[in-house]
Amino acid sequence: MKTTGTQKTAGGTMKTGGPAKEPKKGGETFNYGSDWYENTRQQGTKRTIREEIEYKKQANLIANNGQERKDLYTDNWDGGEYKGSSINILTVLIALSIGVPIAGIIFAFKTYGILWG
């Protein structure tokens, strides 16, 4: 079984098809033909988003020997909604912008007459 030809692409031409490889013992061959993209696309099953999520959950359970991964769950999430935490970059910047001047003023009053003035 041999299907060869050329296909025009944006970068020039591309050789398509070619001889099908011989299958290993008991294996099947699949001939993509000249329109391999459409043939490959038709092989996939159409699923709704809910079915796709369930499929991925099942695949995850199989991959992890039936156990949920603990590292995927934190207190920052409530189901699919991100709640965040009380400490983030904004609170750190606010604390630094208030804390550094206050620490400087305290240091200045404590060292007045000893290190300066």
Side-chain angles (χ1 to χ4, degrees):
M1 180 181 338
K2 191 173 186 180
T3 58
T4 58
T6 57
Q7 182 178 6
K8 292 187 179 187
T9 63
T13 58
M14 174 177 79
K15 186 175 180 181
T16 59
K21 292 185 177 179
E22 289 298 319
K24 294 185 179 181
K25 289 185 178 181
E28 296 180 17
T29 60
F30 183 80
N31 185 9
Y32 288 98
S34 61
D35 192 9
W36 62 269
Y37 176 77
E38 196 59 40
N39 288 331
T40 304
R41 194 164 172 221
Q42 290 174 0
Q43 296 302 314
T45 59
K46 304 249 189 250
R47 292 181 231 170
T48 64
I49 293 174
R50 192 174 308 265
E51 290 170 338
E52 185 69 24
I53 291 171
E54 186 60 34
Y55 171 77
K56 288 185 179 187
K57 280 183 182 178
Q58 290 301 319
N60 185 36
L61 286 175
I62 291 168
N64 293 308
N65 297 325
Q67 298 177 356
E68 286 285 335
R69 289 181 51 194
K70 301 283 186 216
D71 63 328
L72 295 179
Y73 300 96
T74 65
D75 295 334
N76 295 340
W77 288 88
D78 182 20
E81 183 178 344
Y82 184 70
K83 297 293 185 181
S85 65
S86 59
I87 297 176
N88 56 31
I89 190 67
L90 181 60
T91 56
V92 170
L93 289 176
I94 290 172
L96 285 175
S97 65
I98 293 171
V100 170
I102 290 175
I105 291 171
I106 292 171
F107 179 77
F109 278 121
K110 296 243 182 215
T111 60
Y112 182 73
I114 300 170
L115 296 178
W116 65 281

